[in-house]
Coordinates of all heavy atoms in Angstrom, one line a residue:
G21 N -19.6 5.5 7.0 CA -20.1 4.2 6.8 C -19.2 3.2 6.1 O -18.1 3.6 5.7
E22 N -19.7 2.1 5.9 CA -18.9 1.0 5.3 C -18.9 1.2 3.8 O -19.9 1.5 3.2 CB -19.6 -0.3 5.6 CG -18.8 -1.6 5.3 CD -17.7 -1.8 6.3 OE1 -17.6 -1.4 7.4 OE2 -16.8 -2.5 5.8
M23 N -17.7 1.0 3.1 CA -17.6 1.2 1.7 C -18.3 -0.1 1.1 O -18.1 -1.2 1.6 CB -16.2 1.2 1.2 CG -15.7 2.6 1.1 SD -14.2 2.8 0.0 CE -13.0 1.8 0.8
P24 N -19.0 0.1 -0.1 CA -19.6 -1.0 -0.7 C -18.5 -1.9 -1.3 O -17.4 -1.5 -1.6 CB -20.5 -0.4 -1.8 CG -20.0 1.0 -2.0 CD -19.3 1.4 -0.7
T25 N -18.9 -3.2 -1.5 CA -18.0 -4.1 -2.1 C -18.6 -4.7 -3.4 O -19.8 -4.6 -3.6 CB -17.6 -5.3 -1.2 OG1 -18.8 -6.0 -0.9 CG2 -17.0 -4.8 0.1
T26 N -17.7 -5.2 -4.3 CA -18.2 -5.8 -5.5 C -17.3 -7.0 -5.8 O -16.2 -7.1 -5.3 CB -18.1 -4.8 -6.7 OG1 -18.7 -5.5 -7.9 CG2 -16.7 -4.5 -7.1
D27 N -17.8 -8.0 -6.5 CA -17.1 -9.2 -6.8 C -16.2 -9.0 -8.0 O -16.7 -8.7 -9.1 CB -18.1 -10.4 -7.1 CG -17.3 -11.7 -7.3 OD1 -16.6 -12.1 -6.4 OD2 -17.5 -12.2 -8.4
V28 N -14.9 -9.1 -7.8 CA -14.0 -8.9 -8.9 C -13.1 -10.2 -9.0 O -12.3 -10.5 -8.1 CB -13.0 -7.7 -8.7 CG1 -12.0 -7.6 -9.9 CG2 -13.9 -6.4 -8.6
G29 N -13.4 -11.0 -10.0 CA -12.6 -12.3 -10.1 C -12.8 -13.2 -9.0 O -11.8 -13.9 -8.6
G30 N -14.0 -13.2 -8.4 CA -14.2 -14.1 -7.2 C -13.8 -13.6 -5.9 O -13.9 -14.3 -4.9
M31 N -13.2 -12.4 -5.9 CA -12.8 -11.7 -4.6 C -13.7 -10.5 -4.4 O -14.0 -9.7 -5.3 CB -11.3 -11.3 -4.7 CG -10.4 -12.5 -4.9 SD -8.7 -12.0 -5.2 CE -8.5 -10.4 -4.4
Q32 N -14.1 -10.3 -3.1 CA -14.8 -9.1 -2.7 C -13.9 -8.0 -2.6 O -12.9 -8.0 -1.8 CB -15.6 -9.3 -1.4 CG -16.8 -10.3 -1.6 CD -17.8 -9.7 -2.5 OE1 -18.2 -8.5 -2.4 NE2 -18.3 -10.5 -3.4
T33 N -14.1 -6.9 -3.4 CA -13.2 -5.8 -3.4 C -14.0 -4.5 -3.0 O -15.1 -4.3 -3.5 CB -12.6 -5.6 -4.8 OG1 -11.9 -6.8 -5.2 CG2 -11.6 -4.4 -4.8
K34 N -13.4 -3.7 -2.1 CA -14.1 -2.4 -1.8 C -14.0 -1.5 -2.9 O -13.0 -1.4 -3.6 CB -13.4 -1.8 -0.5 CG -13.7 -2.6 0.7 CD -13.1 -1.9 1.9 CE -13.5 -2.8 3.1 NZ -13.1 -2.1 4.4
V35 N -15.1 -0.8 -3.2 CA -15.2 0.2 -4.3 C -15.7 1.5 -3.8 O -16.4 1.6 -2.7 CB -16.2 -0.4 -5.4 CG1 -15.6 -1.6 -6.0 CG2 -17.6 -0.6 -4.9
R36 N -15.4 2.5 -4.5 CA -15.9 3.9 -4.3 C -16.8 4.3 -5.5 O -16.5 3.9 -6.6 CB -14.8 4.8 -4.1 CG -14.0 4.5 -2.9 CD -12.8 5.5 -2.8 NE -11.9 5.0 -1.7 CZ -11.2 5.7 -0.9 NH1 -11.3 7.0 -1.0 NH2 -10.5 5.2 0.0
N37 N -17.8 5.0 -5.2 CA -18.6 5.5 -6.3 C -17.9 6.6 -7.1 O -17.4 7.5 -6.5 CB -19.9 6.0 -5.8 CG -20.8 4.9 -5.1 OD1 -20.7 3.8 -5.5 ND2 -21.6 5.3 -4.2
V38 N -17.8 6.4 -8.4 CA -17.1 7.3 -9.2 C -18.0 7.6 -10.5 O -18.5 6.6 -11.1 CB -15.7 6.8 -9.7 CG1 -15.1 7.8 -10.7 CG2 -14.8 6.6 -8.5
D39 N -18.3 8.8 -10.8 CA -19.0 9.1 -12.0 C -18.1 9.1 -13.1 O -17.2 10.0 -13.2 CB -19.7 10.5 -11.8 CG -20.5 10.9 -13.0 OD1 -20.8 10.1 -13.9 OD2 -20.8 12.1 -13.1
V40 N -18.3 8.2 -14.0 CA -17.4 8.0 -15.2 C -17.3 9.2 -16.0 O -16.3 9.6 -16.5 CB -17.8 6.8 -16.0 CG1 -17.0 6.7 -17.3 CG2 -17.7 5.5 -15.2
R41 N -18.5 9.9 -16.2 CA -18.5 11.1 -17.0 C -17.6 12.2 -16.4 O -17.0 12.9 -17.2 CB -19.9 11.6 -17.1 CG -20.8 10.7 -18.0 CD -22.2 11.3 -18.2 NE -23.0 10.3 -18.7 CZ -24.0 9.7 -18.1 NH1 -24.4 10.1 -17.0 NH2 -24.7 8.8 -18.7
S42 N -17.5 12.3 -15.1 CA -16.6 13.3 -14.5 C -15.2 12.9 -14.7 O -14.3 13.8 -14.9 CB -16.9 13.4 -13.0 OG -16.6 12.3 -12.3
L43 N -14.8 11.7 -14.8 CA -13.5 11.3 -15.1 C -13.0 11.7 -16.5 O -11.9 12.1 -16.7 CB -13.3 9.7 -15.0 CG -13.4 9.2 -13.6 CD1 -13.3 7.6 -13.7 CD2 -12.4 9.7 -12.7
L44 N -14.0 11.7 -17.4 CA -13.7 12.1 -18.8 C -13.4 13.6 -18.9 O -12.8 14.0 -19.9 CB -14.8 11.7 -19.7 CG -15.1 10.2 -19.8 CD1 -16.4 9.9 -20.7 CD2 -13.9 9.4 -20.4
R45 N -13.8 14.3 -17.9 CA -13.7 15.8 -17.9 C -12.4 16.2 -17.2 O -12.2 17.4 -17.1 CB -14.9 16.4 -17.4 CG -16.1 16.2 -18.2 CD -17.2 17.2 -17.9 NE -18.3 17.0 -18.8 CZ -19.5 16.6 -18.5 NH1 -19.8 16.4 -17.2 NH2 -20.4 16.6 -19.4
L46 N -11.6 15.3 -16.7 CA -10.4 15.7 -15.9 C -9.5 16.6 -16.7 O -9.0 17.6 -16.2 CB -9.7 14.5 -15.4 CG -10.3 13.7 -14.3 CD1 -9.5 12.5 -13.9 CD2 -10.5 14.6 -13.0
R47 N -9.3 16.4 -18.0 CA -8.5 17.2 -18.8 C -9.0 18.6 -19.1 O -8.3 19.5 -19.4 CB -8.1 16.5 -20.1 CG -7.2 15.3 -20.0 CD -6.8 14.6 -21.2 NE -6.7 15.5 -22.4 CZ -6.6 15.1 -23.6 NH1 -6.6 13.8 -23.9 NH2 -6.5 15.9 -24.6
E48 N -10.4 18.7 -19.0 CA -11.0 19.9 -19.3 C -11.0 20.9 -18.1 O -11.1 22.1 -18.3 CB -12.5 19.7 -19.7 CG -12.7 18.9 -20.9 CD -14.1 18.4 -21.1 OE1 -15.0 18.9 -20.4 OE2 -14.4 17.6 -21.9
T49 N -10.8 20.4 -16.9 CA -10.7 21.3 -15.7 C -9.3 21.8 -15.5 O -8.4 21.1 -15.2 CB -11.2 20.4 -14.5 OG1 -12.5 19.8 -14.8 CG2 -11.3 21.3 -13.3
R50 N -9.2 23.1 -15.8 CA -7.8 23.7 -15.7 C -7.6 24.4 -14.4 O -8.6 24.8 -13.7 CB -7.7 24.7 -16.9 CG -8.0 24.1 -18.2 CD -6.8 24.2 -19.1 NE -7.1 23.6 -20.4 CZ -6.4 22.5 -20.8 NH1 -5.5 21.9 -20.1 NH2 -6.7 22.0 -22.0
A51 N -6.4 24.7 -14.1 CA -6.0 25.5 -12.9 C -6.6 26.9 -13.0 O -6.5 27.5 -14.1 CB -4.5 25.5 -12.7
L52 N -7.1 27.4 -11.9 CA -7.7 28.7 -11.9 C -6.7 29.8 -12.3 O -5.6 29.8 -11.6 CB -8.3 29.0 -10.5 CG -9.1 30.3 -10.4 CD1 -10.3 30.3 -11.3 CD2 -9.6 30.5 -9.0
G53 N -7.0 30.6 -13.2 CA -6.1 31.7 -13.6 C -4.7 31.2 -14.2 O -3.8 32.0 -14.2
G54 N -4.7 30.0 -14.6 CA -3.4 29.4 -15.2 C -2.3 29.3 -14.1 O -1.1 29.4 -14.5
K55 N -2.7 29.2 -12.9 CA -1.7 29.2 -11.8 C -1.1 27.8 -11.4 O -0.6 27.6 -10.4 CB -2.3 29.8 -10.5 CG -2.6 31.3 -10.7 CD -3.0 31.9 -9.4 CE -3.3 33.4 -9.7 NZ -3.4 34.2 -8.5
G56 N -1.2 26.9 -12.4 CA -0.6 25.6 -12.1 C 0.9 25.6 -12.2 O 1.5 26.7 -12.6
P57 N 1.6 24.5 -12.0 CA 3.1 24.5 -12.1 C 3.6 24.7 -13.5 O 4.8 25.0 -13.7 CB 3.4 23.1 -11.5 CG 2.2 22.4 -11.2 CD 1.0 23.3 -11.5
F58 N 2.7 24.5 -14.5 CA 3.2 24.8 -15.9 C 1.9 25.1 -16.7 O 0.8 24.8 -16.3 CB 3.9 23.5 -16.4 CG 3.2 22.2 -16.3 CD1 2.2 21.9 -17.3 CD2 3.4 21.4 -15.2 CE1 1.5 20.7 -17.1 CE2 2.7 20.2 -15.1 CZ 1.8 19.8 -16.1
P59 N 2.1 25.7 -17.9 CA 1.0 26.1 -18.7 C 0.2 24.8 -19.1 O 0.7 23.8 -19.4 CB 1.6 26.7 -20.0 CG 3.0 27.1 -19.5 CD 3.4 26.1 -18.5
G60 N -1.2 25.0 -19.1 CA -2.0 23.8 -19.5 C -2.3 22.8 -18.4 O -2.9 21.8 -18.6
Y61 N -1.8 23.1 -17.2 CA -2.0 22.2 -16.0 C -3.5 22.0 -15.8 O -4.3 23.0 -15.8 CB -1.4 22.9 -14.8 CG -1.4 22.0 -13.6 CD1 -0.4 20.9 -13.4 CD2 -2.2 22.2 -12.5 CE1 -0.4 20.2 -12.3 CE2 -2.2 21.4 -11.4 CZ -1.3 20.4 -11.3 OH -1.3 19.6 -10.2
N62 N -3.9 20.7 -15.7 CA -5.3 20.4 -15.5 C -5.5 19.4 -14.4 O -4.5 19.0 -13.7 CB -5.9 19.9 -16.8 CG -5.3 18.7 -17.3 OD1 -5.0 17.8 -16.6 ND2 -5.0 18.7 -18.7
M63 N -6.7 19.0 -14.1 CA -7.1 18.1 -13.0 C -6.4 16.7 -13.2 O -6.1 16.1 -12.3 CB -8.6 18.0 -12.9 CG -9.0 17.2 -11.7 SD -8.4 18.0 -10.1 CE -9.8 18.9 -9.7
L64 N -6.3 16.3 -14.5 CA -5.6 15.0 -14.7 C -4.2 15.0 -14.2 O -3.7 14.1 -13.6 CB -5.7 14.7 -16.2 CG -5.1 13.3 -16.6 CD1 -5.8 12.2 -15.8 CD2 -5.3 13.1 -18.1
H65 N -3.5 16.1 -14.5 CA -2.1 16.3 -14.0 C -2.1 16.2 -12.5 O -1.2 15.6 -11.9 CB -1.5 17.6 -14.5 CG -1.3 17.8 -15.9 ND1 -2.0 18.7 -16.7 CD2 -0.5 17.1 -16.8 CE1 -1.6 18.6 -17.9 NE2 -0.7 17.6 -18.0
Y66 N -3.1 16.9 -11.9 CA -3.1 16.9 -10.4 C -3.4 15.5 -9.9 O -2.7 15.0 -8.9 CB -4.3 17.8 -9.9 CG -4.5 17.8 -8.5 CD1 -3.6 18.5 -7.6 CD2 -5.5 17.0 -7.9 CE1 -3.8 18.4 -6.2 CE2 -5.7 17.0 -6.5 CZ -4.9 17.7 -5.7 OH -5.0 17.6 -4.3
C67 N -4.3 14.7 -10.5 CA -4.5 13.3 -10.1 C -3.3 12.5 -10.2 O -3.0 11.7 -9.3 CB -5.7 12.7 -10.9 SG -7.3 13.5 -10.5
V68 N -2.6 12.6 -11.3 CA -1.4 11.8 -11.5 C -0.3 12.2 -10.4 O 0.4 11.3 -9.8 CB -0.8 11.9 -12.9 CG1 0.6 11.3 -13.0 CG2 -1.8 11.3 -13.9
A69 N -0.2 13.5 -10.1 CA 0.7 14.0 -9.1 C 0.4 13.4 -7.7 O 1.3 12.9 -7.0 CB 0.8 15.5 -9.1
Q70 N -0.9 13.3 -7.4 CA -1.4 12.8 -6.2 C -1.1 11.3 -6.1 O -0.6 10.7 -5.1 CB -2.9 13.0 -5.9 CG -3.2 14.5 -5.7 CD -2.5 15.0 -4.4 OE1 -2.7 14.4 -3.3 NE2 -1.8 16.1 -4.6
L71 N -1.3 10.6 -7.2 CA -1.0 9.2 -7.3 C 0.5 8.9 -7.0 O 0.9 8.0 -6.3 CB -1.4 8.6 -8.7 CG -1.0 7.1 -8.9 CD1 -1.8 6.2 -8.0 CD2 -1.4 6.8 -10.4
L72 N 1.3 9.7 -7.7 CA 2.8 9.5 -7.5 C 3.2 9.9 -6.0 O 4.1 9.3 -5.5 CB 3.5 10.4 -8.5 CG 3.4 9.9 -9.9 CD1 4.1 10.9 -10.9 CD2 4.0 8.5 -10.1
Q73 N 2.5 10.8 -5.4 CA 2.8 11.2 -4.0 C 2.4 10.0 -3.1 O 3.2 9.7 -2.2 CB 2.1 12.4 -3.7 CG 2.5 13.0 -2.3 CD 1.8 14.3 -2.1 OE1 0.7 14.5 -2.4 NE2 2.5 15.3 -1.4
Q74 N 1.3 9.4 -3.4 CA 0.8 8.3 -2.5 C 1.5 7.0 -2.8 O 1.6 6.1 -2.0 CB -0.7 8.1 -2.7 CG -1.5 9.3 -2.2 CD -2.9 9.2 -2.5 OE1 -3.5 8.1 -2.8 NE2 -3.6 10.3 -2.5
R75 N 2.0 6.8 -4.1 CA 2.7 5.6 -4.5 C 4.1 6.0 -5.1 O 4.2 5.8 -6.3 CB 1.8 4.8 -5.5 CG 0.5 4.5 -5.0 CD 0.4 3.1 -4.4 NE 1.1 2.1 -5.0 CZ 0.6 1.3 -6.0 NH1 -0.6 1.5 -6.5 NH2 1.3 0.4 -6.6
P76 N 5.0 6.5 -4.3 CA 6.3 6.9 -4.9 C 7.1 5.8 -5.6 O 8.0 6.1 -6.4 CB 7.0 7.5 -3.7 CG 6.4 6.9 -2.5 CD 5.0 6.6 -2.9
E77 N 6.7 4.6 -5.4 CA 7.5 3.5 -6.0 C 7.2 3.3 -7.5 O 7.9 2.7 -8.2 CB 7.3 2.2 -5.3 CG 5.9 1.5 -5.5 CD 4.8 2.1 -4.6 OE1 5.0 3.1 -3.9 OE2 3.7 1.5 -4.7
L78 N 6.1 4.0 -7.9 CA 5.7 3.9 -9.3 C 6.7 4.7 -10.2 O 7.1 5.8 -9.9 CB 4.3 4.4 -9.5 CG 3.1 3.6 -8.9 CD1 1.8 4.4 -9.2 CD2 3.1 2.3 -9.6
S79 N 7.0 4.1 -11.3 CA 7.9 4.7 -12.3 C 7.1 5.2 -13.5 O 5.9 4.9 -13.6 CB 9.0 3.8 -12.8 OG 8.3 2.7 -13.6
R80 N 7.7 6.0 -14.3 CA 7.0 6.5 -15.5 C 6.6 5.3 -16.4 O 5.5 5.3 -17.0 CB 8.0 7.4 -16.3 CG 7.4 7.9 -17.6 CD 8.3 8.8 -18.3 NE 8.2 10.1 -17.6 CZ 8.8 11.2 -18.0 NH1 9.6 11.2 -19.0 NH2 8.6 12.3 -17.3
E81 N 7.4 4.2 -16.4 CA 7.0 3.0 -17.2 C 5.8 2.3 -16.6 O 5.0 1.8 -17.3 CB 8.2 2.1 -17.3 CG 9.4 2.6 -18.1 CD 10.3 3.6 -17.3 OE1 10.2 3.7 -16.1 OE2 10.9 4.4 -18.0
D82 N 5.8 2.3 -15.2 CA 4.6 1.7 -14.6 C 3.3 2.4 -15.0 O 2.3 1.8 -15.3 CB 4.7 1.7 -13.0 CG 5.9 0.9 -12.5 OD1 6.2 -0.2 -13.2 OD2 6.4 1.2 -11.5
L83 N 3.4 3.8 -14.9 CA 2.2 4.6 -15.3 C 1.8 4.3 -16.7 O 0.6 4.2 -17.0 CB 2.5 6.0 -15.0 CG 2.4 6.5 -13.6 CD1 2.8 8.0 -13.5 CD2 1.1 6.2 -12.9
A84 N 2.8 4.3 -17.6 CA 2.5 4.1 -19.0 C 1.8 2.7 -19.2 O 0.9 2.6 -20.0 CB 3.8 4.2 -19.9
K85 N 2.3 1.7 -18.5 CA 1.8 0.4 -18.7 C 0.3 0.4 -18.1 O -0.5 -0.2 -18.7 CB 2.7 -0.6 -17.9 CG 2.2 -2.0 -18.0 CD 3.1 -2.9 -17.2 CE 2.6 -4.3 -17.1 NZ 3.4 -5.2 -16.3
E86 N 0.1 0.9 -16.9 CA -1.2 0.9 -16.3 C -2.2 1.8 -17.0 O -3.4 1.4 -17.0 CB -1.0 1.3 -14.8 CG -0.3 0.3 -14.0 CD -1.0 -1.0 -13.8 OE1 -2.2 -1.1 -13.8 OE2 -0.2 -2.1 -13.8
L87 N -1.8 2.9 -17.4 CA -2.7 3.9 -18.0 C -2.8 3.8 -19.5 O -3.6 4.5 -20.1 CB -2.3 5.3 -17.5 CG -2.3 5.5 -16.0 CD1 -1.8 6.9 -15.7 CD2 -3.6 5.2 -15.4
G88 N -2.0 3.0 -20.1 CA -1.9 2.9 -21.6 C -3.2 2.5 -22.2 O -3.5 2.9 -23.4
A89 N -4.0 1.8 -21.5 CA -5.3 1.3 -22.1 C -6.4 2.4 -22.0 O -7.5 2.2 -22.5 CB -5.7 0.0 -21.5
L90 N -6.2 3.5 -21.3 CA -7.2 4.5 -21.1 C -7.8 5.1 -22.4 O -9.0 5.2 -22.5 CB -6.7 5.6 -20.2 CG -6.6 5.2 -18.7 CD1 -6.1 6.4 -17.9 CD2 -8.0 4.8 -18.1
P91 N -7.0 5.4 -23.3 CA -7.6 6.0 -24.6 C -8.6 5.0 -25.2 O -9.7 5.4 -25.6 CB -6.4 6.3 -25.5 CG -5.3 6.5 -24.5 CD -5.5 5.5 -23.4
A92 N -8.2 3.8 -25.3 CA -9.1 2.8 -25.9 C -10.4 2.6 -25.1 O -11.5 2.5 -25.5 CB -8.4 1.5 -26.1
G93 N -10.2 2.6 -23.7 CA -11.3 2.4 -22.8 C -12.3 3.5 -22.8 O -13.5 3.4 -22.7
A94 N -11.7 4.7 -23.1 CA -12.6 5.9 -23.1 C -13.6 5.9 -24.2 O -14.6 6.5 -24.2 CB -11.7 7.2 -23.1
S95 N -13.2 5.2 -25.3 CA -14.1 5.1 -26.5 C -15.1 4.0 -26.4 O -16.0 3.9 -27.3 CB -13.3 5.0 -27.7 OG -12.6 3.7 -27.8
V96 N -15.1 3.2 -25.4 CA -16.1 2.1 -25.2 C -17.4 2.7 -24.8 O -17.6 3.5 -24.0 CB -15.6 1.1 -24.2 CG1 -16.7 0.1 -23.8 CG2 -14.3 0.4 -24.6
S97 N -18.5 2.2 -25.5 CA -19.8 2.6 -25.2 C -20.3 1.8 -24.0 O -20.3 0.5 -24.0 CB -20.7 2.3 -26.4 OG -22.1 2.2 -26.0
L98 N -20.7 2.5 -22.9 CA -21.1 1.8 -21.7 C -22.4 1.0 -22.0 O -22.6 -0.1 -21.4 CB -21.3 2.8 -20.6 CG -20.1 3.5 -20.1 CD1 -20.4 4.4 -18.9 CD2 -19.1 2.4 -19.6
T99 N -23.3 1.5 -22.8 CA -24.5 0.8 -23.2 C -24.2 -0.5 -23.9 O -24.7 -1.6 -23.5 CB -25.4 1.7 -24.1 OG1 -25.7 2.9 -23.4 CG2 -26.7 1.0 -24.5
Q100 N -23.2 -0.5 -24.8 CA -22.8 -1.7 -25.5 C -22.2 -2.7 -24.6 O -22.4 -3.9 -24.6 CB -21.9 -1.4 -26.7 CG -21.5 -2.6 -27.5 CD -22.8 -3.3 -28.1 OE1 -23.7 -2.6 -28.6 NE2 -22.7 -4.6 -28.2
L101 N -21.4 -2.2 -23.6 CA -20.7 -3.0 -22.7 C -21.7 -3.7 -21.8 O -21.6 -4.9 -21.5 CB -19.7 -2.2 -21.8 CG -18.9 -2.9 -20.8 CD1 -18.0 -3.9 -21.5 CD2 -18.0 -1.9 -20.1
Q102 N -22.8 -3.0 -21.3 CA -23.8 -3.5 -20.5 C -24.6 -4.6 -21.3 O -24.9 -5.7 -20.7 CB -24.8 -2.5 -20.0 CG -24.2 -1.6 -19.0 CD -25.1 -0.4 -18.7 OE1 -25.9 0.1 -19.5 NE2 -24.9 0.2 -17.5
R103 N -24.9 -4.4 -22.6 CA -25.5 -5.4 -23.4 C -24.7 -6.6 -23.5 O -25.2 -7.8 -23.4 CB -25.8 -4.8 -24.8 CG -27.0 -3.9 -24.8 CD -27.2 -3.4 -26.3 NE -28.1 -2.3 -26.3 CZ -28.0 -1.2 -27.0 NH1 -27.0 -1.2 -27.9 NH2 -28.9 -0.3 -27.0
S104 N -23.4 -6.5 -23.8 CA -22.5 -7.6 -23.9 C -22.4 -8.4 -22.6 O -22.4 -9.6 -22.6 CB -21.1 -7.1 -24.3 OG -21.1 -6.5 -25.6
L105 N -22.4 -7.7 -21.5 CA -22.3 -8.4 -20.2 C -23.6 -9.1 -19.9 O -23.6 -10.3 -19.4 CB -22.1 -7.3 -19.1 CG -22.0 -7.9 -17.6 CD1 -20.8 -8.9 -17.5 CD2 -21.8 -6.7 -16.6
H106 N -24.8 -8.6 -20.3 CA -26.0 -9.2 -20.1 C -26.1 -10.5 -21.0 O -26.5 -11.6 -20.5 CB -27.2 -8.3 -20.5 CG -28.5 -8.9 -20.4 ND1 -29.1 -9.2 -19.2 CD2 -29.4 -9.4 -21.4 CE1 -30.3 -9.7 -19.4 NE2 -30.5 -9.9 -20.7
R107 N -25.6 -10.4 -22.2 CA -25.5 -11.6 -23.1 C -24.6 -12.6 -22.5 O -24.9 -13.8 -22.6 CB -25.1 -11.1 -24.5 CG -24.9 -12.2 -25.5 CD -26.2 -12.7 -26.0 NE -26.0 -13.9 -26.8 CZ -25.9 -14.0 -28.1 NH1 -25.9 -12.9 -28.8 NH2 -25.8 -15.1 -28.7
L108 N -23.5 -12.2 -22.0 CA -22.5 -13.2 -21.4 C -23.1 -13.9 -20.2 O -23.0 -15.1 -20.1 CB -21.2 -12.4 -21.0 CG -20.1 -13.3 -20.5 CD1 -19.6 -14.3 -21.5 CD2 -18.9 -12.4 -20.2
R109 N -23.8 -13.2 -19.4 CA -24.5 -13.8 -18.2 C -25.6 -14.8 -18.7 O -25.7 -15.9 -18.1 CB -25.1 -12.7 -17.4 CG -24.1 -12.0 -16.5 CD -24.7 -10.9 -15.7 NE -23.7 -10.3 -14.8 CZ -23.8 -9.1 -14.4 NH1 -24.7 -8.3 -14.7 NH2 -22.8 -8.6 -13.6
E110 N -26.3 -14.4 -19.7 CA -27.3 -15.4 -20.3 C -26.6 -16.6 -20.8 O -27.1 -17.7 -20.6 CB -28.1 -14.7 -21.4 CG -29.1 -13.7 -20.9 CD -29.8 -13.0 -22.1 OE1 -29.3 -13.0 -23.3 OE2 -30.9 -12.4 -21.8
D111 N -25.5 -16.5 -21.5 CA -24.8 -17.6 -22.1 C -24.3 -18.5 -21.0 O -24.3 -19.7 -21.0 CB -23.7 -17.1 -23.0 CG -24.2 -16.5 -24.3 OD1 -25.4 -16.7 -24.6 OD2 -23.3 -15.9 -25.0
C112 N -23.7 -17.9 -19.9 CA -23.2 -18.6 -18.8 C -24.3 -19.4 -18.1 O -24.1 -20.6 -17.7 CB -22.6 -17.6 -17.8 SG -21.7 -18.4 -16.4
A113 N -25.5 -18.8 -17.9 CA -26.6 -19.5 -17.3 C -27.0 -20.7 -18.2 O -27.4 -21.7 -17.7 CB -27.8 -18.5 -17.1
F114 N -27.0 -20.5 -19.5 CA -27.4 -21.6 -20.4 C -26.4 -22.7 -20.3 O -26.8 -23.9 -20.1 CB -27.4 -21.1 -21.8 CG -27.6 -22.2 -22.8 CD1 -28.8 -22.7 -23.1 CD2 -26.5 -22.7 -23.6 CE1 -29.0 -23.7 -24.0 CE2 -26.7 -23.7 -24.5 CZ -27.9 -24.2 -24.7
V115 N -25.1 -22.4 -20.2 CA -24.1 -23.5 -20.1 C -24.2 -24.2 -18.8 O -24.1 -25.4 -18.7 CB -22.7 -22.9 -20.3 CG1 -21.6 -23.9 -19.9 CG2 -22.5 -22.4 -21.7
A116 N -24.4 -23.4 -17.7 CA -24.6 -24.0 -16.4 C -25.8 -25.0 -16.4 O -25.8 -26.1 -15.8 CB -24.8 -23.0 -15.3
G117 N -26.9 -24.6 -17.0 CA -28.1 -25.4 -17.2 C -27.8 -26.7 -17.9 O -28.3 -27.8 -17.6
E118 N -27.1 -26.6 -19.0 CA -26.7 -27.7 -19.8 C -25.8 -28.7 -19.0 O -26.0 -29.9 -19.1 CB -25.9 -27.3 -21.1 CG -26.8 -26.6 -22.1 CD -27.8 -27.6 -22.7 OE1 -27.4 -28.6 -23.2 OE2 -29.0 -27.2 -22.8
L119 N -24.9 -28.2 -18.2 CA -24.0 -29.0 -17.4 C -24.8 -29.7 -16.3 O -24.5 -30.9 -16.0 CB -22.9 -28.2 -16.8 CG -21.8 -27.7 -17.8 CD1 -20.9 -26.8 -17.1 CD2 -21.1 -28.9 -18.4
D120 N -25.8 -29.0 -15.7 CA -26.6 -29.6 -14.7 C -27.5 -30.8 -15.3 O -27.8 -31.7 -14.6 CB -27.5 -28.6 -14.0 CG -26.7 -27.7 -13.1 OD1 -25.6 -28.0 -12.7 OD2 -27.3 -26.6 -12.8
G121 N -27.8 -30.7 -16.6 CA -28.7 -31.7 -17.2 C -27.9 -32.9 -17.6 O -28.6 -33.9 -18.0
H122 N -26.6 -32.9 -17.5 CA -25.9 -34.1 -18.0 C -25.2 -34.8 -16.8 O -24.6 -34.5 -16.0 CB -24.8 -33.7 -19.0 CG -25.5 -33.2 -20.3 ND1 -26.5 -33.9 -20.9 CD2 -25.2 -32.2 -21.1 CE1 -26.9 -33.2 -22.0 NE2 -26.1 -32.2 -22.2

């Protein structure tokens, strides 16, 4: 079927369903029997290897830049983020109403 889309900055972007909780467990999922390319090899290593295979133009610096915000993002409360987004939408609707009234 057709992949769902979402509005990102005014552009419709195709998205895939991803369970955020499963992403947080990538480091916990280890290679069976320690048979990875090095000790401690986990699913996160595998995902990065796949990314580099699909996008060979990426450098270590590119990855550090793109993925550098992940630790801070992992500590964000999704509930608090949803509340903040709801409040922002309410504020936006209020401002739009004020502008329409003038």
Side-chain angles (χ1 to χ4, degrees):
E22 194 71 25
M23 265 201 299
T25 61
T26 189
D27 182 61
V28 178
M31 295 173 31
Q32 288 296 312
T33 303
K34 290 186 179 185
V35 295
R36 295 176 191 217
N37 295 333
V38 175
D39 178 16
V40 174
R41 290 183 192 116
S42 67
L43 292 177
L44 297 175
R45 293 194 175 120
L46 288 176
R47 286 181 37 188
E48 298 169 11
T49 307
R50 305 241 180 244
L52 185 61
K55 295 189 179 194
F58 53 84
Y61 186 77
N62 60 44
M63 189 60 98
L64 182 57
H65 294 117
Y66 176 80
C67 289
V68 171
Q70 290 299 305
L71 175 64
L72 291 173
Q73 189 175 36
Q74 293 173 22
R75 302 269 316 273
E77 75 278 5
L78 291 176
S79 68
R80 179 176 281 182
E81 292 78 22
D82 293 330
L83 286 176
K85 181 180 173 186
E86 293 294 326
L87 302 177
L90 284 180
S95 66
V96 171
S97 161
L98 293 180
T99 302
Q100 184 60 37
L101 186 60
Q102 288 171 335
R103 286 184 191 138
S104 296
L105 182 59
H106 179 73
R107 174 79 190 264
L108 185 58
R109 286 181 174 148
E110 287 177 340
D111 291 347
C112 185
F114 173 77
V115 170
E118 288 292 309
L119 288 173
D120 286 342
H122 293 317

